[in-house]
Amino acid sequence: MAEECCATQLIDGNGVFNVVGLDNFVRTTKLADCGLSYAVVAIMGPQSSGKSTLLNHLFHTNFREMDAYRGRSQTTKGIWIARCIGIEPFTIAVDLEGTDGRERGEDDTAFEKQSALFALAIADVVLINMWCHDIGREQAANKPLLKTVFQVMMHLFSPRKTTLMFVIRDKTKTPLEHLEPILREDIQKIWDAVAKPRAHNSTPLSDFFNVKIIALSSYEEKEEQFKEQVAQLRQQFFHSISPGGLAGDRRGVVPASGFSFSAQQIWKIIKENKDLDLPAHKVMVATVRCEEIAAGKLRNLSSDEGWLALVEAVQVGPVSGFGKKLSSILETYLSEYDMEAIYFDEGVRNTKRQQLETKALDLVHPAYLTILGHLRSKTLENFKSRLEQSLNCGEGFAASVRTCGQSCMLEFDKGCADASIRLAKWDASKVREKLRRDIETHASSVCNLKLSEMIKKYEKQLADALTEPVESLFEAGGRDTWVSIRGLLKRETEVAVSGLLADFASFELDRSTIDTMVQNMRDYARNVVERKAREEAGKVLIRMKDRFSAVFNHDNDSMPRVWTGKEDIRTITKDARSASLKLLSVMAAIRLDEKPDKIENVLFSSLMDGSVAVSSSQDRSVGATSDPLASSTWQQVSPKDTLITPVQCKSLWRQFKTETEYAVAQAISVQEANKRSNNWLPPAWAIVAMIVLGFNEFMLLLKNPLYLMILFIVFLLSKALWVQMDIAGEFRNGTLAGILSISSRFLPTLMNLLRRLAEEAQGHPASEAPRTHSLVSHSFKNETQRNPISSAIPESSVSSNVSSSDDGVEISSPNLTHRRSEKIP
């Protein structure tokens, strides 16, 4: 296999190009016969990272590998090339000397950069071998080397698209999808930082490099898995120069016959370029070492017992002396860093110290913010409790807020000074401003609550002072109702406003706010009256009927009327309706603005003359246009102040008259009945005529005592029959009904009376006493049952109460009250 792969040292460790060896390689492998069908694959990476081992397993070459049992040392010196076995097309493997080697020392980095630039210039695919745990590092990940090579390459050669394949060795548990973004970000940052020619100043990385990332398991610990993964990777190098392959971009490719000359010229140009002779690794070593020291101090700080105790205490609440304790801990670790890094480059040392200080402050900053939060919360709670105590002691609200706020802010400032760290210049103004806003918000909420309670107290006072008196005034419904309501409203409103202004004094409110609240209080009082007026307007029909009943059924002395027949029912009815209509005019609109209106005149002129009575269709058609009540608004009254529209007044009046006509009819009926009962005697002229014409018969009776005795007996018997049969009561129901009732009862009553006389004559008067009493009771019962008033009033419309007394029966109803007296012998 050694003869087939033909491994050859192309450049030795001193940078001498092996021209003879390259020509022998070209001749032995017949490279010149390939034309453009060949590819070059180079590998670079840290020393002893397994580059040669990877190439031997990947391409079946025989590069020298490090013997781990003899120690770790430089194996590959310079640059070696070999033919890849079993790969189509013809592929050349280039093995570069490892970077960061002990043998060359820290001052010799020129060859590393030269060899890396040479690999990028001649290779189609560059494998960058790196350890998994070096990802994220600066030197071990070859970031400075790539940056320098990229920069020089842009100036020395015409770049062509090269595949950069990062091979992550000894992959750990970290998934590849988490490692790949970090590598790609680092490569992009290197490319962005490279100073490019003007022509390529804005050229993206993807135009020159195709970046791929793969990961391999550990060769020593998982050899079989490593070999399987390498076998899979090997398949990607077959037909690599085909479109889409790893070496698919063939721009500027040199024919195989000119490969030897091209490689010599590229190396010559690289050797003569002084830009690659960069300073030694002193700065880099100082950077790495100082970073390690700083990282160690940062880890120690994060696990320091004193710091952890502070963190635990801060979670509970404010810690006294927090800033002093934490400053002491930070200064201790910074002093240790200074002592350990004193012999390294001063510039690097100071830079890393500043970074350590920044990271340490970033570590402790959350605890500082936490303690500020505790201070803010504690101060706010103190303010709330102090303000409440001050208000309970009777202090003014504004003065209490001012005093408590100033004392609490001073306490907060002292707490911030105690928590401040000497190394940091942190500003607590934002937290202080938030505390100030929180205090103002709480004070505002308490102020609003107190004002709301105060306003509710005076609103309740106004409601209690206005509701019942206004209802009483509406119930009276006189001409001066609204005048009295306006006076009551003004008086009670001024009392409430005066008390409100006195209570507002301690709040130190601005004038506009006070004026607004006072106006709201006045509006509330007015709304109470308006709301009560609308409520009473809904009961206006009931009020009108009550007013009508009160005026119609009672005289001027408020005594119940007895319809004896002498009363002028027409006049009384008119007065009662007029009083009810006056009540309707009072309730028709709200009159709190003292504006004149003609509602009462319109109602009286339109309704009292009976114009709203149902008329014929012709009358309605003629008078429709001139009816002042055929409207939904009153003149000189706004719609918002209208309680009952004209049309509604008209409808209410019709309903009112319908529901009160029955009471009038009952009164007329009772009056007629009383007239009939009082007129059972003949007229005076008839009595005079009987006396004149019966003078002779009268004288005959006086001359003959027997006739007089017979006449007296007939009178007594007639009187007894009259009382027993209640003849006057029977005739109240009508003449025909009275005659029929008397005729049916005359004979039984007469026989009963004669039997009683006979029994008394035989000496048994006592046994008939109960019967006599029962007859009297029966007669009284018949009398009350035949009462024409109670029998004529339907139960559905009038609810009557009947009560008996010593001298008669009293009948009362909501719309009709009268007394009828009947003597019971």
Side-chain angles (χ1 to χ4, degrees):
M1 180 180 291
E3 295 179 355
E4 292 180 356
C5 69
C6 195
T8 303
Q9 186 179 38
L10 183 62
I11 301 172
D12 63 12
N14 296 322
V16 178
F17 194 91
N18 186 4
V19 179
V20 177
L22 179 57
D23 291 339
N24 183 51
F25 173 83
V26 171
R27 185 174 56 255
T28 303
T29 58
K30 298 181 180 180
L31 174 61
D33 298 336
C34 294
L36 298 177
S37 300
Y38 73 99
V40 180
V41 179
I43 187 168
M44 57 187 291
Q47 180 177 298
S48 302
S49 61
K51 299 187 299 301
S52 300
T53 303
L54 176 60
L55 290 179
N56 291 339
H57 284 82
L58 187 59
F59 300 120
H60 298 169
T61 56
N62 62 350
F63 293 117
R64 181 187 173 190
E65 298 180 6
M66 182 191 72
D67 188 358
Y69 293 98
R70 295 183 179 181
R72 305 184 68 85
S73 61
Q74 187 180 48
T75 303
T76 303
K77 296 182 179 180
I79 301 175
W80 290 71
I81 63 173
R83 178 184 178 182
C84 301
I85 304 303
I87 300 294
E88 291 294 336
F90 189 101
T91 302
I92 301 173
V94 181
D95 189 8
L96 275 65
E97 177 180 324
T99 61
D100 198 21
R102 175 179 61 83
E103 288 76 7
R104 288 190 179 272
E106 67 177 273
D107 294 335
D108 190 5
T109 60
F111 186 81
E112 296 176 1
K113 299 180 177 70
Q114 292 170 351
S115 60
L117 181 57
F118 178 78
L120 288 174
I122 67 171
D124 298 295
V125 180
V126 178
L127 302 177
I128 301 177
N129 200 50
M130 61 187 304
W131 298 109
C132 183
H133 55 262
D134 288 337
I135 296 176
R137 296 182 178 178
E138 189 74 14
Q139 300 294 335
N142 294 314
K143 293 180 184 178
L145 178 62
L146 283 178
K147 181 177 181 180
T148 303
V149 171
F150 284 174
Q151 182 174 353
V152 177
M153 184 178 176
M154 296 290 291
H155 292 278
L156 296 182
F157 309 104
S158 175
R160 61 194 180 100
K161 193 164 187 177
T162 304
T163 299
L164 296 180
M165 181 176 289
F166 288 82
V167 182
I168 302 174
R169 301 293 297 274
D170 294 359
K171 179 181 175 297
T172 60
K173 294 182 180 180
T174 304
L176 180 61
E177 56 265 26
H178 293 170
L179 298 174
E180 183 174 350
I182 299 175
L183 280 175
R184 290 188 178 274
E185 183 180 1
D186 291 343
I187 296 301
Q188 186 63 46
K189 288 181 179 179
I190 293 172
W191 177 260
D192 294 338
V194 168
K196 307 177 188 68
R198 183 176 300 176
H200 301 291
N201 198 24
S202 59
T203 303
L205 174 67
S206 59
D207 286 358
F208 293 150
F209 298 97
N210 182 22
V211 179
K212 291 185 175 295
I213 300 173
I214 63 171
L216 300 177
S217 300
S218 174
Y219 174 69
E220 296 179 356
E221 298 177 1
K222 302 177 181 179
E223 183 176 356
E224 294 300 324
Q225 189 175 357
F226 172 81
K227 291 180 178 180
E228 291 178 2
Q229 294 172 350
V230 170
Q232 295 176 2
L233 177 60
R234 176 181 170 85
Q235 297 300 319
Q236 299 185 28
F237 290 89
F238 283 88
H239 309 291
S240 59
I241 64 174
S242 300
L246 291 177
D249 185 11
R250 307 298 287 168
R251 289 181 300 170
V253 64
V254 178
S257 58
F259 176 79
S260 176
F261 177 78
S262 175
Q264 294 178 44
Q265 293 300 315
I266 289 174
W267 181 250
K268 181 180 179 182
I269 295 172
I270 291 174
K271 287 288 291 183
E272 291 177 355
N273 185 52
K274 300 301 181 181
D275 290 342
L276 296 178
D277 296 331
L278 299 177
H281 281 306
K282 288 184 178 180
V283 174
M284 299 179 185
V285 172
T287 301
V288 173
R289 185 61 187 135
C290 289
E291 284 184 350
E292 291 177 352
I293 296 173
K297 299 307 172 185
L298 190 61
R299 286 194 300 271
N300 294 339
L301 172 62
S302 61
S303 60
D304 185 84
E305 294 181 358
W307 159 244
L308 294 178
L310 279 178
V311 172
E312 185 177 355
V314 163
Q315 301 305 319
V316 178
V319 179
S320 178
F322 174 84
K324 186 177 181 180
K325 296 176 182 178
L326 186 54
S327 297
S328 177
I329 295 173
L330 292 176
E331 290 173 355
T332 298
Y333 285 102
L334 290 175
S335 299
E336 292 178 359
Y337 169 85
D338 293 337
M339 292 177 63
E340 294 183 26
I342 190 171
Y343 298 108
F344 292 101
D345 183 79
E346 182 180 0
V348 176
R349 183 176 71 238
N350 293 336
T351 301
K352 297 305 176 183
R353 190 187 192 280
Q354 292 178 359
Q355 294 178 1
L356 172 61
E357 184 178 322
T358 301
K359 292 179 180 179
L361 292 177
D362 291 341
L363 176 66
V364 303
H365 189 252
Y368 175 75
L369 293 180
T370 301
I371 199 170
L372 288 185
H374 287 312
L375 288 173
R376 183 183 64 83
S377 301
K378 182 180 179 181
T379 305
L380 182 60
E381 292 300 323
N382 290 339
F383 173 78
K384 292 179 180 179
S385 60
R386 292 179 185 178
L387 179 61
E388 184 177 0
Q389 293 175 1
S390 179
L391 293 179
N392 291 337
C393 293
E395 296 291 334
F397 181 82
S400 299
V401 170
R402 203 160 37 243
T403 303
C404 296
Q406 291 175 356
S407 62
C408 289
M409 291 305 294
L410 288 176
E411 290 182 2
F412 178 77
D413 293 338
K414 291 180 180 179
C416 290
D418 181 71
S420 63
I421 301 172
R422 290 191 292 269
L423 297 176
K425 297 180 180 179
W426 292 330
D427 187 9
S429 59
K430 291 184 178 179
V431 181
R432 191 180 191 278
E433 181 64 21
K434 189 175 188 307
L435 172 62
R436 186 187 62 80
R437 291 197 302 268
D438 291 341
I439 289 176
E440 291 179 353
T441 301
H442 178 71
S444 178
S445 64
V446 173
C447 177
N448 293 334
L449 179 62
K450 296 294 183 182
L451 291 176
S452 178
E453 293 176 352
M454 194 181 305
I455 291 173
K456 287 181 180 179
K457 180 185 75 173
Y458 284 102
E459 286 180 351
K460 184 177 184 303
Q461 175 182 324
L462 274 175
D464 295 341
L466 291 175
T467 302
E468 293 185 358
V470 168
E471 182 178 359
S472 177
L473 289 173
F474 279 133
E475 187 175 357
R479 182 180 299 275
D480 298 332
T481 297
W482 283 106
V483 176
S484 301
I485 291 176
R486 286 195 295 268
L488 175 67
L489 174 62
K490 182 178 180 181
R491 183 172 61 257
E492 296 298 335
T493 302
E494 292 302 324
V495 171
V497 168
S498 299
L500 192 66
L501 291 176
D503 291 343
F504 279 171
S506 64
F507 288 85
E508 298 182 5
L509 301 174
D510 57 277
R511 191 62 195 174
S512 60
T513 303
I514 294 177
D515 292 342
T516 301
M517 291 184 176
V518 169
Q519 185 60 41
N520 291 339
M521 185 61 63
R522 296 183 184 276
D523 294 340
Y524 176 81
R526 183 185 179 99
N527 290 335
V528 169
V529 175
E530 292 181 353
R531 185 167 58 249
K532 193 62 184 176
R534 297 183 189 281
E535 180 183 342
E536 292 298 317
K539 301 184 292 185
V540 65
L541 182 60
I542 298 175
R543 300 290 191 200
M544 291 171 64
K545 291 191 292 184
D546 292 344
R547 177 66 60 83
F548 177 85
S549 177
V551 176
F552 186 76
N553 294 322
H554 295 80
D555 56 18
N556 295 332
D557 297 330
S558 298
M559 297 297 293
R561 295 185 188 275
V562 179
W563 305 104
T564 61
K566 300 179 181 179
E567 296 81 5
D568 187 357
I569 295 181
R570 181 180 298 276
T571 302
I572 295 173
T573 302
K574 185 175 181 181
D575 293 341
R577 288 179 176 175
S578 176
S580 300
L581 187 60
K582 186 174 295 183
L583 178 63
L584 178 61
S585 67
V586 170
M587 298 303 302
I590 298 173
R591 301 174 176 88
L592 295 178
D593 297 329
E594 301 185 23
K595 294 181 179 179
D597 59 72
K598 300 180 180 179
I599 295 177
E600 183 175 354
N601 296 336
V602 171
L603 289 177
F604 273 85
S605 62
S606 301
L607 301 179
M608 284 304 294
D609 59 359
S611 61
V612 299
V614 179
S615 59
S616 63
S617 59
Q618 292 181 353
D619 294 339
R620 288 199 302 269
S621 63
V622 172
T625 57
S626 59
D627 188 359
L629 297 181
S631 174
S632 60
T633 57
W634 298 102
Q635 291 184 359
Q636 300 177 345
V637 178
S638 63
K640 68 181 182 65
D641 291 335
T642 300
L643 297 177
I644 306 174
T645 62
V647 174
Q648 293 172 340
C649 288
K650 191 174 183 180
S651 176
L652 285 171
W653 184 252
R654 286 198 187 99
Q655 186 176 355
F656 166 75
K657 290 185 67 177
T658 301
E659 295 183 8
T660 56
E661 283 176 354
Y662 181 76
V664 177
Q666 289 298 314
I668 296 174
S669 176
V670 171
Q671 192 179 56
E672 293 296 331
N674 285 332
K675 288 181 179 180
R676 286 195 300 270
S677 63
N678 294 330
N679 292 336
W680 59 274
L681 293 175
W685 62 269
I687 295 175
V688 173
M690 285 189 295
I691 293 174
V692 173
L693 296 177
F695 180 77
N696 295 329
E697 289 77 5
F698 180 70
M699 293 302 297
L700 178 62
L701 290 176
L702 292 177
K703 292 179 180 179
N704 192 347
L706 182 61
Y707 290 158
L708 186 60
M709 183 178 296
I710 294 173
L711 184 61
F712 179 71
I713 293 172
V714 171
F715 170 76
L716 292 178
L717 183 61
S718 300
K719 181 64 176 178
L721 289 174
W722 183 279
V723 172
Q724 289 292 329
M725 298 180 64
D726 190 17
I727 294 176
E730 294 292 343
F731 276 99
R732 285 196 186 99
N733 295 329
T735 304
L736 181 59
I739 293 173
L740 293 176
S741 178
I742 292 172
S743 62
S744 63
R745 296 172 55 203
F746 177 77
L747 185 59
T749 303
L750 178 62
M751 295 302 295
N752 185 27
L753 184 61
L754 293 176
R755 185 173 58 254
R756 287 167 54 194
L757 292 175
E759 290 175 352
E760 289 179 359
Q762 293 177 4
H764 302 287
S767 62
E768 296 299 325
R771 180 173 181 84
T772 304
H773 178 71
S774 65
L775 289 174
V776 175
S777 301
H778 179 71
S779 176
F780 177 76
K781 180 177 179 182
N782 291 336
E783 179 183 356
T784 58
Q785 288 178 347
R786 290 190 302 271
N787 191 329
I789 306 247
S790 61
S791 62
I793 300 176
E795 294 182 359
S796 60
S797 59
V798 180
S799 177
S800 301
N801 296 322
V802 180
S803 60
S804 62
S805 60
D806 295 338
D807 56 351
V809 178
E810 179 177 315
I811 304 173
S812 62
S813 69
N815 297 325
L816 178 61
T817 302
H818 67 277
R819 177 179 294 272
R820 180 174 63 84
S821 300
E822 290 291 343
K823 295 296 181 178
I824 304 298

Tab-separated table of all heavy atoms in Angstrom, residues 41-43 50-63 65 80 84 93-96 127 169 230 234:
chain	number	residue	atom	x	y	z
A	41	VAL	N	-7.431	17.435	-0.959
A	41	VAL	CA	-8.039	17.523	0.365
A	41	VAL	C	-6.924	17.735	1.369
A	41	VAL	O	-5.975	16.935	1.437
A	41	VAL	CB	-8.832	16.258	0.717
A	41	VAL	CG1	-9.434	16.376	2.113
A	41	VAL	CG2	-9.924	16.000	-0.309
A	42	ALA	N	-6.973	18.814	2.155
A	42	ALA	CA	-5.971	19.128	3.170
A	42	ALA	C	-6.610	19.083	4.551
A	42	ALA	O	-7.826	19.277	4.700
A	42	ALA	CB	-5.359	20.493	2.918
A	43	ILE	N	-5.758	18.820	5.543
A	43	ILE	CA	-6.235	18.790	6.914
A	43	ILE	C	-5.320	19.629	7.772
A	43	ILE	O	-4.091	19.606	7.615
A	43	ILE	CB	-6.315	17.339	7.447
A	43	ILE	CG1	-6.992	17.335	8.821
A	43	ILE	CG2	-4.952	16.683	7.504
A	43	ILE	CD1	-7.364	15.944	9.287
A	50	GLY	N	-4.867	13.995	16.113
A	50	GLY	CA	-5.331	12.840	15.356
A	50	GLY	C	-5.596	13.132	13.903
A	50	GLY	O	-6.413	12.446	13.274
A	51	LYS	N	-4.881	14.086	13.333
A	51	LYS	CA	-5.107	14.422	11.924
A	51	LYS	C	-4.657	13.272	11.019
A	51	LYS	O	-5.378	12.857	10.114
A	51	LYS	CB	-4.334	15.703	11.572
A	51	LYS	CG	-4.739	16.932	12.369
A	51	LYS	CD	-4.082	18.181	11.862
A	51	LYS	CE	-2.563	18.110	11.967
A	51	LYS	NZ	-2.099	17.912	13.354
A	52	SER	N	-3.426	12.797	11.244
A	52	SER	CA	-2.903	11.718	10.400
A	52	SER	C	-3.741	10.463	10.551
A	52	SER	O	-4.012	9.751	9.569
A	52	SER	CB	-1.447	11.425	10.780
A	52	SER	OG	-0.651	12.585	10.598
A	53	THR	N	-4.183	10.168	11.760
A	53	THR	CA	-5.029	8.994	11.983
A	53	THR	C	-6.323	9.096	11.198
A	53	THR	O	-6.780	8.116	10.583
A	53	THR	CB	-5.323	8.857	13.478
A	53	THR	OG1	-4.089	8.766	14.196
A	53	THR	CG2	-6.148	7.613	13.762
A	54	LEU	N	-6.931	10.286	11.212
A	54	LEU	CA	-8.179	10.481	10.471
A	54	LEU	C	-7.961	10.290	8.980
A	54	LEU	O	-8.758	9.619	8.312
A	54	LEU	CB	-8.738	11.877	10.775
A	54	LEU	CG	-10.000	12.265	10.000
A	54	LEU	CD1	-11.138	11.309	10.289
A	54	LEU	CD2	-10.419	13.701	10.340
A	55	LEU	N	-6.847	10.847	8.424
A	55	LEU	CA	-6.587	10.702	6.981
A	55	LEU	C	-6.349	9.243	6.607
A	55	LEU	O	-6.826	8.769	5.561
A	55	LEU	CB	-5.391	11.555	6.588
A	55	LEU	CG	-5.595	13.073	6.611
A	55	LEU	CD1	-4.299	13.788	6.221
A	55	LEU	CD2	-6.701	13.490	5.667
A	56	ASN	N	-5.607	8.524	7.458
A	56	ASN	CA	-5.325	7.131	7.139
A	56	ASN	C	-6.596	6.292	7.113
A	56	ASN	O	-6.744	5.415	6.250
A	56	ASN	CB	-4.338	6.554	8.159
A	56	ASN	CG	-2.950	7.168	8.007
A	56	ASN	OD1	-2.605	7.710	6.944
A	56	ASN	ND2	-2.135	7.102	9.054
A	57	HIS	N	-7.536	6.532	8.050
A	57	HIS	CA	-8.775	5.770	8.044
A	57	HIS	C	-9.728	6.259	6.958
A	57	HIS	O	-10.528	5.481	6.441
A	57	HIS	CB	-9.470	5.882	9.412
A	57	HIS	CG	-8.840	5.038	10.476
A	57	HIS	ND1	-7.714	5.437	11.180
A	57	HIS	CD2	-9.152	3.792	10.941
A	57	HIS	CE1	-7.376	4.511	12.052
A	57	HIS	NE2	-8.233	3.487	11.923
A	58	LEU	N	-9.639	7.533	6.651
A	58	LEU	CA	-10.579	8.100	5.685
A	58	LEU	C	-10.176	7.779	4.249
A	58	LEU	O	-11.024	7.426	3.415
A	58	LEU	CB	-10.666	9.626	5.897
A	58	LEU	CG	-11.715	10.379	5.087
A	58	LEU	CD1	-13.112	9.869	5.370
A	58	LEU	CD2	-11.637	11.884	5.395
A	59	PHE	N	-8.843	7.894	3.948
A	59	PHE	CA	-8.391	7.720	2.555
A	59	PHE	C	-7.448	6.511	2.366
A	59	PHE	O	-6.880	6.333	1.298
A	59	PHE	CB	-7.668	8.991	2.093
A	59	PHE	CG	-8.543	10.220	2.149
A	59	PHE	CD1	-8.212	11.293	2.934
A	59	PHE	CD2	-9.715	10.279	1.393
A	59	PHE	CE1	-9.011	12.427	2.975
A	59	PHE	CE2	-10.516	11.420	1.433
A	59	PHE	CZ	-10.172	12.486	2.234
A	60	HIS	N	-7.260	5.749	3.410
A	60	HIS	CA	-6.397	4.556	3.341
A	60	HIS	C	-4.965	4.929	2.985
A	60	HIS	O	-4.298	4.225	2.211
A	60	HIS	CB	-6.944	3.530	2.343
A	60	HIS	CG	-8.306	3.019	2.718
A	60	HIS	ND1	-9.088	2.266	1.849
A	60	HIS	CD2	-9.061	3.161	3.841
A	60	HIS	CE1	-10.221	1.957	2.432
A	60	HIS	NE2	-10.230	2.515	3.653
A	61	THR	N	-4.507	6.048	3.548
A	61	THR	CA	-3.112	6.453	3.372
A	61	THR	C	-2.269	5.860	4.496
A	61	THR	O	-2.807	5.178	5.385
A	61	THR	CB	-3.007	7.982	3.375
A	61	THR	OG1	-3.582	8.474	4.588
A	61	THR	CG2	-3.773	8.591	2.197
A	62	ASN	N	-0.983	6.152	4.470
A	62	ASN	CA	-0.104	5.611	5.512
A	62	ASN	C	0.759	6.687	6.145
A	62	ASN	O	1.955	6.488	6.361
A	62	ASN	CB	0.772	4.500	4.955
A	62	ASN	CG	1.693	4.993	3.839
A	62	ASN	OD1	1.541	6.117	3.360
A	62	ASN	ND2	2.659	4.178	3.445
A	63	PHE	N	0.130	7.863	6.429
A	63	PHE	CA	0.875	8.902	7.114
A	63	PHE	C	1.297	8.391	8.495
A	63	PHE	O	0.613	7.579	9.118
A	63	PHE	CB	0.044	10.178	7.277
A	63	PHE	CG	-0.267	10.862	5.984
A	63	PHE	CD1	-1.567	10.999	5.551
A	63	PHE	CD2	0.759	11.369	5.186
A	63	PHE	CE1	-1.865	11.651	4.352
A	63	PHE	CE2	0.470	12.010	4.007
A	63	PHE	CZ	-0.842	12.143	3.564
A	65	GLU	N	1.666	8.085	12.280
A	65	GLU	CA	0.775	8.421	13.379
A	65	GLU	C	1.559	8.452	14.677
A	65	GLU	O	2.591	7.789	14.830
A	65	GLU	CB	-0.347	7.390	13.495
A	65	GLU	CG	-1.229	7.312	12.264
A	65	GLU	CD	-2.321	6.289	12.403
A	65	GLU	OE1	-2.462	5.712	13.512
A	65	GLU	OE2	-3.035	6.045	11.416
A	80	TRP	N	2.973	17.020	4.243
A	80	TRP	CA	3.069	15.763	3.526
A	80	TRP	C	1.860	15.616	2.613
A	80	TRP	O	0.774	16.105	2.904
A	80	TRP	CB	3.116	14.589	4.513
A	80	TRP	CG	4.406	14.505	5.289
A	80	TRP	CD1	4.854	15.324	6.260
A	80	TRP	CD2	5.401	13.517	5.097
A	80	TRP	NE1	6.065	14.947	6.730
A	80	TRP	CE2	6.442	13.796	6.023
A	80	TRP	CE3	5.572	12.398	4.266
A	80	TRP	CZ2	7.613	13.026	6.122
A	80	TRP	CZ3	6.718	11.625	4.378
A	80	TRP	CH2	7.727	11.939	5.287
A	84	CYS	N	-4.991	9.283	-2.255
A	84	CYS	CA	-6.079	8.598	-1.561
A	84	CYS	C	-6.404	7.313	-2.312
A	84	CYS	O	-6.633	7.331	-3.533
A	84	CYS	CB	-7.313	9.497	-1.486
A	84	CYS	SG	-7.030	11.048	-0.627
A	93	ALA	N	-4.308	13.780	-0.726
A	93	ALA	CA	-4.463	14.137	0.687
A	93	ALA	C	-3.233	14.911	1.134
A	93	ALA	O	-2.094	14.477	0.891
A	93	ALA	CB	-4.657	12.896	1.535
A	94	VAL	N	-3.427	16.075	1.793
A	94	VAL	CA	-2.346	16.934	2.256
A	94	VAL	C	-2.422	16.984	3.790
A	94	VAL	O	-3.417	17.448	4.350
A	94	VAL	CB	-2.453	18.351	1.665
A	94	VAL	CG1	-1.299	19.213	2.139
A	94	VAL	CG2	-2.498	18.299	0.143
A	95	ASP	N	-1.367	16.500	4.464
A	95	ASP	CA	-1.311	16.448	5.927
A	95	ASP	C	-0.393	17.554	6.410
A	95	ASP	O	0.809	17.551	6.113
A	95	ASP	CB	-0.809	15.085	6.373
A	95	ASP	CG	-0.949	14.911	7.886
A	95	ASP	OD1	-1.568	15.790	8.524
A	95	ASP	OD2	-0.442	13.905	8.410
A	96	LEU	N	-0.945	18.541	7.159
A	96	LEU	CA	-0.185	19.695	7.627
A	96	LEU	C	0.347	19.442	9.040
A	96	LEU	O	-0.242	18.682	9.815
A	96	LEU	CB	-1.037	20.955	7.633
A	96	LEU	CG	-1.145	21.742	6.320
A	96	LEU	CD1	-1.859	20.943	5.246
A	96	LEU	CD2	-1.856	23.070	6.552
A	127	LEU	N	-10.063	20.089	5.727
A	127	LEU	CA	-10.597	19.540	6.962
A	127	LEU	C	-9.927	20.250	8.136
A	127	LEU	O	-8.702	20.284	8.219
A	127	LEU	CB	-10.332	18.037	7.056
A	127	LEU	CG	-10.899	17.174	5.913
A	127	LEU	CD1	-10.478	15.724	6.111
A	127	LEU	CD2	-12.393	17.284	5.841
A	169	ARG	N	-13.769	16.226	16.950
A	169	ARG	CA	-13.276	14.944	17.447
A	169	ARG	C	-13.691	14.718	18.896
A	169	ARG	O	-13.866	15.666	19.659
A	169	ARG	CB	-11.741	14.919	17.354
A	169	ARG	CG	-11.226	15.118	15.941
A	169	ARG	CD	-11.590	13.943	15.044
A	169	ARG	NE	-10.963	12.720	15.502
A	169	ARG	CZ	-9.714	12.360	15.154
A	169	ARG	NH1	-8.989	13.127	14.353
A	169	ARG	NH2	-9.199	11.220	15.588
A	230	VAL	N	-16.354	7.236	10.154
A	230	VAL	CA	-15.389	7.608	9.123
A	230	VAL	C	-15.744	6.973	7.789
A	230	VAL	O	-15.604	7.598	6.725
A	230	VAL	CB	-13.969	7.198	9.568
A	230	VAL	CG1	-12.978	7.353	8.416
A	230	VAL	CG2	-13.522	8.040	10.752
A	234	ARG	N	-16.337	8.906	4.341
A	234	ARG	CA	-15.561	8.576	3.138
A	234	ARG	C	-16.447	8.601	1.893
A	234	ARG	O	-16.004	9.015	0.817
A	234	ARG	CB	-14.926	7.193	3.322
A	234	ARG	CG	-14.166	6.657	2.110
A	234	ARG	CD	-13.609	5.274	2.406
A	234	ARG	NE	-13.085	4.635	1.209
A	234	ARG	CZ	-11.853	4.823	0.730
A	234	ARG	NH1	-11.013	5.613	1.382
A	234	ARG	NH2	-11.445	4.215	-0.367
